[in-house]
Amino acid sequence: MILRNVRNQPRTTQEDLIHSDSDEGDGSIKYTISGEGAGTIFIIDEVTGDIHATERLDREEKAFYTLRAQARDRQTDAPLEPESEFVIKVQDINDSEPKFLEGPYIGSVAELSPIVVKQYKRHLPTTSNTHTPNSTMVKTKELSEDTRNRIVDLHQAGKTESAIGKQLDVKKSTVGAIIRKWKTYKTTTNLPRSGAPRKISARGVKNDHKKRFGAAFPGTILGRISCRLGFYPQLVDPYDRMQSGYFHPVFGTSVMKVMASDADDPTYGSSARIVYSVLDGEKFFTVDRQTGVIRTAVADLDRETQDRYELVVKATDMAGQMGGLSGSTTVTIVITDVNDNPPRFPQKMYQFSVSEGAAVGTSVGRVIATDADMGENTDMSYLIKDEEGGELFRVSTDGDTQEAVITIKKPLDFEKKRTHNVVVEAANKHVDPRFVDLGSFRDQTIVRVSVSDTDEPPIFFPPTGAIMEVQEDAKQGALVGIVTAKDPDMDNVPVRYSIDQSTDQEQIFNIDAVTGAITLGKILDRETAGWHNITVTAVEADNQSMASQTAVSIRILDVNDNPPELATPYETKICEDAKPGQLIHTISVVDRDEPQSGHRFYFTLAPEASSNRHFALWDVKDNTAGIRTQRSGFNRQEQNVYLLPIRVVDSGPPALSSTGTFTIRVCGCDTVGNIQSCNATAFVMSAALSPGALIALLVCMLILIVLVLLILTLKRHRKGQRMSEDEEDMRDNVIKYNDEGGGEQDTQAYDMSALRSLYDFPEVKNSESGADLRSLPQWIQNRVTGDGGAADFSLFKGYIRKKVEQADADLSVPPYDSFQTYAFEGSSSPALSLSSICTLSTTSEQDFSYLSDWGPRFRQLAGYYAPGQPEEEGS
């Protein structure tokens, strides 16, 4: 089956022809198609095999369709040949304009960006004969310019001449000729493919034929121009007046790149070949026709003049040829700042005034230098250039306002100098080395500071304070030193001195108010305080508000008034088998004094230890001494402690001494020399007692413990029997007390005030009767009749009722169920006594004679209950 291509027509026009070899044209064969778009987009003539498109195709939506064709018998519908697959490719036409998908664009470039001028050499032909006899003319005019351009583009993409010829249906020889011609002219021109548009001429050598190319752009591929081989054009820069064989294209600083896309087929024709151009703003910026790179066209872009540019960039397909479609976008280019402007002071002189009494650090004034730049390019630092101004004043930069803040560095003195001229310089912190040729990035101004006079307090000499010295043994009233202060404003102004009591609370020093002489008020002791720091105040006699102070440090010079002493109560231990000459300890000394020449101590044994034969004292000569043994073999049983008195003398003057005791204990040691025991008693016991004696001692102790336990057991047993007998003999009228008292006369066993309080009857709260309750004995005596008649018992009832109410109202006593008081029975009471004491009845059935056996404490009680027993004892 043969698929024959025909011309591409829109709509239902014939696209392709399918024909079978077995088709004799008699209509016996029927053609059918299947696949993508079969029957809808594409239809086939069953008789002729012509395929038609039923609608307009869009390559951007679908570039090709895959279908299958088959020839069948019209009568039997049987396939006559196997099914064949074919592809219908939609050929592109230029129906899509370029679009900037990422626009609008915003870019930036620094001001004063440079313009680069590159130098290229002209390539002239080596001979004037540009056409050899063997040279032939290549008939390339038969091909369209688009085809020639496609050949060059495919060659640059790496395609071979054969592949290019097959793809474009051009002979291989023709493709090779076009490529060789393009290479020849490209080598001859040697032009870059980017840069500013320039007016370029091409001059032919043969017959001085000139061909003008007009306003061509650098980078134009002249090999695409149809001409004969052997024609070597020479590019001439009309602006190159030197005509030295070189031309100089100009390249601006790259700003950004714009890119447009075209939906047309880039492999077919020039529908998708885009070139760029600037519609608005070409005076300041250019765009590369091929790459879309925007560059600066001038080198004097100034942000301070204009900081933003709006460009309109156009993209045209068909390589910019007539009939091509185009699209445009807006490009905003922001000019960024560089440090190309130096700081400048608006004035050449500033004037400020400050009082001489202003404190250090006080602000005198502010000045500022202006800078036309922005951002960090305006950061500047200030400094004082003259030496005198740098000593009295300090300048700093305010980070927020970039102002120079001038402050006082040292106190000013109106009497010395009344006006100061300070030279202040401003300099950029970030200087760009590319613009140093523009001039100095510094500026100076003069700041004149006038000092005004003020009433100042007295000034001490020296102003930093005084240091005085006095001997430790100086007597009370001795002169320590003199302080001096003067009024700086006027001469001979009287000044009065005093000591700040907060710095001399013990009043050790006194000062003369007129002369400023400091004297001792108390005796000094250097060992207690080696330095005394006091504050002296000076005031003007006529103006007490003008006062100043100074610090006076008084050093107490040492006097040797403290004897040396042993550093610690030294004590050491030695073994019984110590060797002679053995160093057992080293001692040192402390002395509270501090002589200027340093300490020097001398060690000797006290006179009472001079005859000592056991130990020797060795003076090491470095203010220490060592103790050594003089003999061998010490015995703890004979003497286990040795006291060695040591006398220490200092170097004075005067020389002072003290005696300290060094304690040495004799101990038992093992064979290595380690101390085991230093107790003499334990040593004797361990040596005298044998193991048998120790066992006997333990047995005796066990026997003693057993005897003690038996005695305690017997005592407890007897006590239990006596308690059982007492419980069996208990009567109803016998009361057992846990705490036995000493009888009725014993008033210390309990508090008698509790009973006495029964006769005190305070007023009952909320009582109807306002009268006080008097004691019961008085009440009853007034109510007893003269003939001894019976008393009125209603009074008792009222009395008891009042007591009950009192008890109920008192919150401090327990809530008793009843309250009964028998404070007084009365001598003529009709009721007999309830007590058995002094009763007239002696017919008691109980025998209380055992009370006499209870001891002297119950003797009086036994007399009441067994009155006959004492008489019998008395008889």
Side-chain angles (χ1 to χ4, degrees):
M1 182 178 291
I2 299 175
L3 176 65
R4 181 169 58 87
N5 295 328
V6 296
R7 296 181 60 83
N8 182 23
Q9 299 292 336
R11 287 270 176 212
T12 56
T13 58
Q14 176 180 326
E15 295 289 345
D16 295 293
L17 177 64
I18 297 176
H19 184 75
S20 175
D21 294 337
S22 60
D23 188 0
E24 297 179 355
D26 56 358
S28 62
I29 297 177
K30 179 179 67 174
Y31 296 97
T32 62
I33 60 173
S34 61
E36 296 178 331
T40 57
I41 300 177
F42 301 100
I43 59 175
I44 188 170
D45 190 327
E46 296 180 351
V47 177
T48 62
D50 295 335
I51 300 176
H52 300 269
T54 62
E55 61 185 39
R56 188 178 183 87
L57 303 180
D58 190 354
R59 189 203 65 82
E60 285 74 30
E61 293 182 0
K62 192 171 181 63
F64 61 90
Y65 296 86
T66 303
L67 293 93
R68 293 176 298 278
Q70 192 172 33
R72 294 178 176 271
D73 188 277
R74 184 176 295 277
Q75 300 297 329
T76 62
D77 199 29
L80 300 177
E81 293 180 4
E83 194 174 39
S84 300
E85 184 178 272
F86 63 95
V87 176
I88 297 179
K89 183 179 178 182
V90 181
Q91 189 174 3
D92 186 41
I93 61 175
N94 188 19
D95 59 347
S96 298
E97 72 277 2
K99 294 181 180 180
F100 292 91
L101 301 180
E102 299 179 1
Y105 295 86
I106 298 178
S108 63
V109 65
E111 62 175 330
L112 301 181
S113 295
I115 298 295
V116 181
V117 179
K118 292 187 178 181
Q119 180 173 276
Y120 293 90
K121 187 176 182 180
R122 299 188 182 94
H123 293 269
L124 300 177
T126 57
T127 177
S128 60
N129 186 12
T130 60
H131 184 71
T132 60
N134 295 329
S135 62
T136 59
M137 301 297 293
V138 179
K139 299 179 180 181
T140 59
K141 291 186 178 181
E142 295 179 359
L143 300 178
S144 65
E145 184 177 353
D146 289 341
T147 304
R148 294 196 298 273
N149 292 338
R150 288 291 299 150
I151 292 173
V152 174
D153 291 340
L154 292 175
H155 172 71
Q156 288 182 318
K159 296 282 182 87
T160 62
E161 295 179 1
S162 299
I164 296 174
K166 290 181 180 179
Q167 180 174 345
L168 300 180
D169 195 15
V170 180
K171 293 183 179 180
K172 180 179 179 181
S173 59
T174 304
V175 172
I178 293 176
I179 292 175
R180 288 191 299 273
K181 182 173 61 175
W182 171 78
K183 288 182 178 181
T184 301
Y185 289 110
K186 186 175 188 302
T187 304
T188 304
T189 59
N190 195 22
L191 282 174
R193 298 183 63 85
S194 61
R198 303 294 301 277
K199 195 76 171 179
I200 300 175
S201 298
R203 186 180 306 161
V205 177
K206 184 177 180 180
N207 300 324
D208 290 331
H209 178 74
K210 298 182 179 179
K211 185 174 180 63
R212 190 78 174 177
F213 288 98
F217 281 80
T220 301
I221 303 176
L222 301 182
R224 293 177 180 173
I225 301 175
S226 299
C227 57
R228 296 180 302 169
L229 287 176
F231 175 70
Y232 296 90
Q234 179 184 6
L235 298 184
V236 179
D237 187 358
Y239 299 99
D240 186 4
R241 300 179 181 179
M242 300 288 295
Q243 297 293 329
S244 58
Y246 293 87
F247 67 95
H248 310 276
V250 179
F251 299 88
T253 300
S254 175
V255 180
M256 61 183 303
K257 181 179 181 180
V258 296
M259 182 176 294
S261 62
D262 195 322
D264 293 327
D265 187 3
T267 62
Y268 180 79
S270 300
S271 299
R273 293 188 64 232
I274 300 174
V275 294
Y276 300 93
S277 61
V278 178
L279 294 182
D280 187 12
E282 67 276 5
K283 180 180 178 181
F284 302 100
F285 298 93
T286 62
V287 63
D288 189 282
R289 287 174 55 86
Q290 306 297 330
T291 63
V293 176
I294 299 176
R295 299 178 181 272
T296 58
V298 294
D300 57 349
L301 293 176
D302 189 6
R303 186 200 63 82
E304 288 75 28
T305 303
Q306 184 175 351
D307 62 352
R308 184 183 298 266
Y309 292 88
E310 300 287 342
L311 306 181
V312 178
V313 178
K314 184 178 74 172
T316 307
D317 59 10
M318 298 294 294
Q321 298 178 6
M322 187 70 69
L325 304 178
S326 64
S328 63
T329 186
T330 301
V331 180
T332 301
I333 300 178
V334 178
I335 307 302
T336 59
D337 186 57
V338 297
N339 192 7
D340 58 338
N341 294 283
R344 290 290 181 262
F345 284 103
Q347 301 175 211
K348 290 302 180 182
M349 178 177 290
Y350 297 85
Q351 292 187 357
F352 299 100
S353 178
V354 64
S355 172
E356 66 170 337
V360 174
T362 302
S363 176
V364 175
R366 290 172 174 248
V367 297
I368 186 172
T370 59
D371 193 327
D373 296 321
M374 61 183 299
E376 68 174 8
N377 294 325
T378 62
D379 293 346
M380 61 187 73
S381 60
Y382 299 90
L383 66 155
I384 296 177
K385 296 298 292 184
D386 61 308
E387 183 178 354
E388 179 185 357
E391 292 180 357
L392 296 177
F393 300 95
R394 179 183 292 109
V395 63
S396 59
T397 304
D398 190 328
D400 298 330
T401 62
Q402 292 297 313
E403 291 178 310
V405 182
I406 303 170
T407 57
I408 299 175
K409 185 177 181 181
K410 289 184 178 180
L412 303 177
D413 192 349
F414 173 82
E415 288 71 26
K416 290 184 179 180
K417 192 171 184 179
R418 302 184 179 185
T419 304
H420 301 274
N421 293 324
V422 182
V423 179
V424 178
E425 182 181 82
N428 277 133
K429 288 185 178 180
H430 312 287
V431 178
D432 196 330
R434 297 176 299 172
F435 309 112
V436 293
D437 296 337
L438 298 178
S440 176
F441 283 80
R442 297 173 179 270
D443 194 21
Q444 292 183 352
T445 187
I446 297 176
V447 178
R448 176 170 293 178
V449 181
S450 300
V451 182
S452 59
D453 188 24
T454 58
D455 190 6
E456 300 175 87
I459 299 176
F460 283 93
F461 298 97
T464 57
I467 299 178
M468 302 179 182
E469 295 180 348
V470 62
Q471 290 289 335
E472 181 181 7
D473 59 349
K475 295 181 180 181
Q476 187 174 355
L479 178 63
V480 178
I482 300 175
V483 293
T484 304
K486 294 182 180 180
D487 189 349
D489 300 320
M490 297 179 61
D491 296 334
N492 302 324
V493 175
V495 177
R496 298 294 179 259
Y497 303 93
S498 63
I499 296 177
D500 189 352
Q501 295 301 322
S502 62
T503 61
D504 187 22
Q505 297 180 356
E506 299 180 2
Q507 298 182 359
I508 300 175
F509 303 97
N510 299 322
I511 189 170
D512 190 292
V514 178
T515 62
I518 300 175
T519 57
L520 288 180
K522 291 183 179 180
I523 300 300
L524 301 176
D525 184 9
R526 191 205 63 83
E527 286 71 33
T528 302
W531 284 84
H532 293 274
N533 298 314
I534 62 175
T535 301
V536 177
T537 304
V539 298
E540 294 181 6
D542 300 333
N543 187 0
Q544 298 292 329
S545 62
M546 290 292 102
S548 60
Q549 292 182 332
T550 187
V552 178
S553 300
I554 302 174
R555 179 185 179 186
I556 311 303
L557 301 179
D558 185 43
V559 175
N560 192 25
D561 56 350
N562 293 280
E565 299 175 351
L566 293 180
T568 59
Y570 287 104
E571 180 178 342
T572 188
K573 300 174 183 179
I574 62 172
C575 297
E576 289 181 303
D577 55 352
K579 299 295 187 291
Q582 178 180 343
L583 179 65
I584 61 176
H585 207 280
T586 301
I587 61 175
S588 59
V589 179
V590 293
D591 194 336
R592 298 175 61 189
D593 296 321
E594 293 181 0
Q596 296 182 356
S597 59
H599 290 290
R600 179 66 179 94
F601 302 110
Y602 305 92
F603 299 87
T604 59
L605 292 177
E608 60 269 20
S610 59
S611 61
N612 169 53
R613 296 177 299 170
H614 308 292
F615 303 97
L617 181 65
W618 171 47
D619 192 344
V620 187
K621 306 298 184 182
D622 61 351
N623 294 335
T624 61
I627 308 299
R628 292 181 174 178
T629 56
Q630 283 188 326
R631 67 181 182 88
S632 62
F634 294 88
N635 192 343
R636 285 188 290 169
Q637 295 178 344
E638 294 179 359
Q639 184 176 354
N640 65 334
V641 178
Y642 293 89
L643 301 178
L644 188 64
I646 300 174
R647 183 171 180 267
V648 184
V649 183
D650 60 13
S651 56
L656 301 179
S657 64
S658 67
T659 301
T661 302
F662 186 82
T663 304
I664 303 172
R665 297 185 180 275
V666 181
C667 303
C669 303
D670 57 12
T671 57
V672 183
N674 298 323
I675 296 176
Q676 299 295 325
S677 175
C678 297
N679 193 339
T681 304
F683 176 80
V684 173
M685 290 179 63
S686 62
L689 293 177
S690 63
L694 292 175
I695 294 174
L697 181 60
L698 292 175
V699 171
C700 293
M701 293 177 64
L702 290 174
I703 293 173
L704 291 174
I705 293 172
V706 172
L707 291 176
V708 172
L709 292 175
L710 288 175
I711 292 172
L712 293 175
T713 304
L714 291 175
K715 284 185 176 183
R716 182 173 293 180
H717 181 66
R718 289 180 182 179
K719 186 176 182 180
Q721 290 180 351
R722 180 174 296 178
M723 291 177 62
S724 62
E725 291 177 358
D726 294 341
E727 291 175 357
E728 293 176 357
D729 194 30
M730 185 178 296
R731 302 291 189 271
D732 294 337
N733 58 348
V734 177
I735 300 174
K736 183 178 179 181
Y737 296 93
N738 292 331
D739 187 11
E740 296 180 351
E744 292 182 354
Q745 295 181 352
D746 185 10
T747 61
Q748 303 297 326
Y750 57 91
D751 188 9
M752 296 297 292
S753 62
L755 296 177
R756 295 190 182 96
S757 64
L758 297 176
Y759 296 96
D760 299 333
F761 307 114
E763 181 180 357
V764 181
K765 296 180 180 179
N766 300 327
S767 177
E768 297 176 358
S769 175
D772 295 339
L773 291 179
R774 293 172 290 179
S775 61
L776 187 59
Q778 292 180 348
W779 197 260
I780 292 181
Q781 290 176 5
N782 295 335
R783 289 298 182 179
V784 175
T785 58
D787 56 356
D792 188 1
F793 288 102
S794 61
L795 297 176
F796 284 97
K797 295 180 180 179
Y799 173 77
I800 293 174
R801 181 175 56 80
K802 296 293 185 182
K803 296 296 289 183
V804 170
E805 292 177 359
Q806 181 180 3
D808 293 340
D810 191 357
L811 300 178
S812 63
V813 299
Y816 297 112
D817 294 335
S818 61
F819 187 86
Q820 296 178 357
T821 303
Y822 304 95
F824 184 75
E825 295 176 343
S827 58
S828 59
S829 176
L832 298 178
S833 175
L834 299 178
S835 175
S836 60
I837 302 177
C838 297
T839 180
L840 300 177
S841 175
T842 58
T843 60
S844 176
E845 298 178 355
Q846 298 182 8
D847 184 11
F848 297 99
S849 58
Y850 61 87
L851 294 177
S852 301
D853 298 335
W854 286 10
R857 290 191 176 184
F858 296 93
R859 185 174 298 169
Q860 187 173 359
L861 184 62
Y864 289 133
Y865 284 90
Q869 186 175 357
E871 294 178 359
E872 293 176 359
E873 293 177 358
S875 64

